[in-house]
């Protein structure tokens, strides 16, 4: 476990060190910045389920490293570690079984963010290429250590690519906000550095503009029930020295009606082929409000968040979480102990309410289907959904 102060550059919530996978435990923020190592598939699965690591891209990154931990466990004779250890056929099978077992388990951690399945699909395909022979000179040779190295390199590539493409999202979004002459935006939940490898999606344009000396004010919805806006977004923006105003979710209408923001900027957990957007519950009402007040509603996302296999938002599985998250607030009871609760973690914003998508390859305007197809063609190929 590591504790300590950080420099003020956007935080890296998921990292790989010589000792393994290390995450910032986001359930402890804003009170405590604590990192902890995850050493097994089960620990990564639990950390994703408990929202210690959260946000669509960060979940995918953590799961990719979880697959590496899975083959390490198998090598030590743990999970999926049955079968012969000799080189050749049996070892290949044992390696692939370990990869599949880890990926199957991690795919069950949370259902909505498609980045999880995208990353696991990439890891499965890399494992098969490594073991059976593919486009890398080392593929098909070298045995367990070489195959494991190929997997680790794939997970590191997913992490590094995310950093780069969030910066690209930031550049495109910064251009849009400059065109609008924006000096303030409204956001929901946390689609910042804590939700990605480092720079965030919805907050990336804010960080890019800040680096150019233009400090936008960010109005942040608390984002009940788990308060990702209050606990995480307000924390990371303050830490970066940026102006932030926290509001109760129900105050968003007032902020929009008073003309205090020139754009609403949110992230996404999954975007269907027609442009419908699953994101943190409370995003849909914000989009309705933005339309009512003539404020542009932008969704920032990497191509790995687009799910071309799901035609519309109706097909997106929406996670429902336990009742205690609503019956309590910050651990304190705020409702009768046994009251019935409905607790969807996400909602679906119809594409008609989206002004534009801000992606690593540029801005996509309506009609969205074609632009999203072009963006996600590569990312979606061979994606493996949980059974
Ligand atoms: O339940 P969470 O905290 O994982 O929900 C996160 C969100 O809804 C984010 O807005 C989304 O994952 C985009 S993160 C770049």
């Amino acid at each position: 476990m590591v504790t300590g102060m950080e420099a003020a550059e956007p935080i890296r919530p998921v990292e790989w060190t010589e000792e393994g996978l290390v995450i910032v435990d986001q359930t402890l923020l804003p009170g405590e910045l604590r990192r902890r190592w995850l050493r097994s598939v089960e620990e990564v699965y639990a950390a994703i389920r408990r929202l210690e690591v959260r946000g669509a891209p960060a979940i995918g990154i953590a799961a990719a490293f979880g697959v590496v931990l899975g083959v390490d466990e198998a090598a030590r004779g743990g999970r999926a570690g049955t079968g012969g250890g000799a080189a050749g056929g049996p070892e290949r099978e044992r390696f692939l079984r370990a990869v599949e077992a880890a990926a199957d388990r991690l795919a069950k951690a949370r259902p909505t963010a498609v980045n999880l399945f995208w990353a696991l699909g990439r890891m499965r395909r890399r494992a098969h290429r490594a073991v059976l022979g593919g486009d890398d000179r080392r593929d098909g040779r070298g045995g367990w250590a070489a195959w494991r190295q190929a997997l680790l390199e794939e997970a590191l590539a997913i992490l590094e690519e995310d950093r780069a493409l969030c910066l690209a999202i930031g550049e495109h979004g910064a251009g849009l906000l400059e065109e609008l002459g924006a000096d303030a935006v409204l956001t929901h939940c946390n689609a910042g550095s804590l939700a990605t490898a480092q720079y965030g999606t919805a907050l990336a344009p804010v960080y890019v503009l800040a680096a150019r000396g233009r400090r936008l004010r960010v109005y942040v919805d608390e984002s009940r029930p788990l308060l990702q806006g209050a606990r995480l977004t307000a924390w990371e923006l303050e830490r970066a020295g940026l102006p932030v105003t926290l509001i109760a979710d129900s105050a968003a209408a007032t902020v929009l009606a008073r003309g205090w923001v020139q754009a609403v900027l949110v992230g996404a957990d999954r975007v269907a082929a027609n442009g419908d957007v699953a994101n943190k519950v409370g995003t849909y009402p914000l989009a309705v409000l933005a339309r009512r007040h003539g404020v542009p509603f932008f969704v920032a996302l990497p191509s790995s968040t687009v799910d071309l296999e799901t035609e519309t938002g109706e097909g997106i599985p929406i996670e429902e979480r336990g009742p205690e998250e609503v019956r309590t607030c910050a651990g304190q009871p705020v409702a009768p102990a046994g009251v019935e609760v409905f607790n969807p973690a996400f909602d679906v914003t119809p594409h008609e309410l989206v002004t534009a998508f801000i992606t690593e390859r540029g801005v996509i305007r309506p009609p969205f289907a074609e632009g999203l197809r072009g963006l996600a063609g590569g990312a979606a190929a061979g994606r493996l959904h949980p059974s």
Side-chain angles (χ1 to χ4, degrees):
M1 229 173 263
V2 192
T3 57
M5 293 294 294
E6 300 286 330
E9 71 159 9
I11 200 162
R12 299 175 185 222
V14 188
E15 289 180 285
W16 183 264
T17 71
E18 302 224 320
E19 291 171 62
L21 179 59
V22 61
I23 61 156
V24 171
D25 182 346
Q26 299 188 33
T27 63
L28 302 177
L29 289 170
E32 186 182 355
L33 175 57
R34 187 194 299 172
R35 291 195 161 83
R36 76 183 195 89
W37 270 279
L38 304 177
R39 296 197 165 85
S40 66
V41 172
E42 241 5 82
E43 284 185 8
V44 177
Y45 170 87
I48 293 173
R49 262 192 101 78
R50 292 193 61 236
L51 274 54
E52 289 172 19
V53 55
R54 47 142 303 279
I59 292 172
I61 295 164
F65 287 112
V67 174
V68 179
L69 295 175
V71 302
D72 289 350
E73 284 179 83
R76 293 193 299 268
R79 166 178 284 271
T82 54
E91 189 173 32
R92 286 197 165 98
E93 283 160 28
R94 194 165 75 93
F95 185 86
L96 289 179
R97 262 206 315 277
V99 169
E100 294 298 334
D104 285 350
R105 178 67 175 154
L106 292 162
K108 292 191 169 67
R110 294 187 77 187
T112 304
V114 77
N115 308 60
L116 174 64
F117 312 111
W118 170 84
L120 292 173
R122 252 180 88 160
M123 296 301 284
R124 289 187 215 252
R125 290 193 298 280
R126 189 66 191 90
H128 280 265
R129 280 208 314 280
V131 165
L132 303 172
D135 53 15
D136 189 304
R137 272 185 297 122
R138 291 164 314 169
D139 283 349
R141 303 192 222 144
W144 192 285
W147 303 332
R148 187 261 192 197
Q149 181 61 22
L151 275 187
L152 176 58
E153 285 170 15
E154 190 73 5
L156 289 168
I158 290 172
L159 178 119
E160 284 308 322
E161 285 167 23
D162 185 77
R163 293 184 67 224
L165 57 84
C166 283
L167 271 182
I169 290 169
E171 293 288 338
H172 294 300
L176 264 186
L177 294 176
E178 278 185 326
E179 274 170 34
L180 288 169
D183 56 23
V185 297
L186 172 57
T187 194
H188 189 69
C189 190
N190 174 265
S193 55
L194 285 164
T196 62
Q198 186 169 23
Y199 298 105
T201 56
L203 294 190
V206 174
Y207 288 127
V208 165
L209 286 173
R212 294 182 195 162
R214 184 155 174 198
R215 289 149 40 89
L216 266 57
R217 175 164 296 277
V218 182
Y219 287 84
V220 181
D221 281 353
E222 281 178 309
S223 314
R224 269 285 281 158
L226 293 182
L227 301 172
Q228 287 93 331
R231 294 188 303 104
L232 307 177
T233 302
W235 177 82
E236 73 166 75
L237 289 170
E238 277 216 341
R239 181 174 169 275
L242 293 172
V244 47
T245 303
L246 180 64
I247 59 171
D249 297 333
S250 44
T254 303
V255 169
L256 286 160
R258 292 188 182 182
W260 288 352
V261 296
Q262 292 75 45
V264 175
L265 263 175
V266 297
D269 285 83
R270 191 186 296 223
V271 172
N274 72 341
D276 292 348
V277 177
N279 192 49
K280 179 53 57 195
V281 67
T283 301
Y284 176 24
L286 206 50
V288 174
L289 285 169
R291 177 60 55 93
R292 169 70 178 80
H293 295 287
V295 174
F297 182 86
F298 297 123
V299 179
L301 76 163
S303 51
S304 50
T305 302
V306 179
D307 178 9
L308 293 180
E309 292 171 25
T310 300
E311 281 176 31
T312 72
E314 273 182 41
I316 300 177
I318 298 296
E319 177 181 8
E320 287 189 28
R321 297 183 60 89
E324 286 314 310
E325 292 182 355
V326 180
R327 289 186 193 132
T328 62
C329 188
Q332 297 302 311
V334 291
V339 72
E340 190 178 307
V341 165
F342 170 52
N343 184 20
F346 303 95
D347 61 23
V348 175
T349 300
H351 62 275
E352 299 89 350
L353 295 175
V354 177
T355 307
F357 291 102
I358 306 170
T359 79
E360 73 267 29
R361 296 211 212 138
V363 175
I364 299 176
R365 295 197 181 265
F368 294 126
E370 196 179 326
L372 292 173
R373 223 173 13 253
L375 177 70
R383 173 176 292 141
L384 301 172
H385 283 278
S387 48

